Amino acid sequence: MSRPGATPVLSSDAASAQRRAEERWTELFGCAPIRRPDGFAAQAVAWHEQAMEHGDVPLAIRRDLDAALTQVLAAREQKVAALEPHAPCEKLAGNDPELLAPCTNLPLPPASSQLLVGTRLVKSHGGKTHVVEVTDAGMLYEGELFSSLSAVAKKITGTHWNGLLFFGLRKRKTYERKKADG
């Protein structure tokens, strides 16, 4: 049994897997890996290889995240400037609720894929035509207000759906299967 706080000892298989992951890290990222015994290097390498194979975060989502980050950082800078001139660094660095409060109340910028108010979506499903109208307050379907297209799709089908997929606003991603050698 190991002592609390003691560095875990890796078995020879785990140690060799860690070494392989660290070597692959150096190949992919061009620097020495972060030294952590919890398999971080292997997870980071696997994620990077998956992103290279199947693609990274879609451009529209990256734009939305960049816009949200810019907005939050601007609000944080305003809050930092309003603090006393000799505020200790610890107060500015951590998860201080006072520092983060103005950031959490800010509305996020609209998503690139956000539908315009007044848009009407028509979907034929189960022998019935379903019409959804986009309003300021959400999605209006059969006189009932829903927070998202996914909620409307669930009401219509009774099962969970991605609303954009259900209403044909996004295509399902498909990946080619790798053929086994031999």
Side-chain angles (χ1 to χ4, degrees):
M1 185 163 184
S2 64
R3 298 183 330 259
T7 304
V9 178
L10 299 174
S11 70
S12 62
D13 289 344
S16 63
Q18 175 117 2
R19 272 195 306 280
R20 285 192 307 274
E22 290 172 353
E23 289 169 2
R24 184 69 175 130
W25 173 296
T26 304
E27 291 173 22
L28 290 171
F29 301 112
C31 64
I34 297 172
R35 295 283 178 197
R36 287 178 50 182
D38 59 0
F40 175 78
Q43 292 173 3
V45 165
W47 177 86
H48 190 73
E49 288 175 338
Q50 181 178 339
M52 290 183 339
E53 173 97 13
H54 299 291
D56 202 353
V57 176
L59 182 59
I61 292 174
R62 274 190 296 192
R63 277 196 305 261
D64 293 342
L65 291 172
D66 287 343
L69 176 64
T70 300
Q71 192 174 26
V72 167
L73 290 177
R76 190 172 286 172
E77 284 178 20
Q78 289 174 355
K79 180 64 177 173
V80 169
L83 291 175
E84 58 271 5
H86 301 291
C89 293
E90 296 83 27
K91 185 171 183 180
L92 302 179
N95 289 332
D96 180 7
E98 183 183 340
L99 181 64
L100 298 175
C103 301
T104 57
N105 296 330
L106 293 173
L108 290 175
S112 297
S113 61
Q114 186 176 28
L115 299 169
L116 299 175
V117 172
T119 301
R120 293 181 70 184
L121 302 169
V122 180
K123 170 73 176 182
S124 179
H125 178 79
K128 182 178 174 189
T129 300
H130 304 274
V131 180
V132 177
E133 185 173 345
V134 179
T135 68
D136 285 326
M139 307 297 159
L140 187 62
Y141 171 68
E142 293 185 338
E144 191 177 346
L145 197 60
F146 292 86
S147 61
S148 67
L149 282 176
S150 295
V152 175
K154 185 171 185 176
K155 171 78 173 185
I156 293 170
T157 65
T159 60
H160 177 74
W161 267 87
N162 176 312
L164 296 175
L165 282 175
F166 181 77
F167 285 96
L169 300 174
R170 180 180 294 159
K171 290 184 179 183
R172 183 178 306 274
K173 288 184 181 179
T174 56
Y175 299 102
E176 262 186 56
R177 290 186 182 258
K178 290 187 177 183
K179 295 181 182 173
D181 292 334

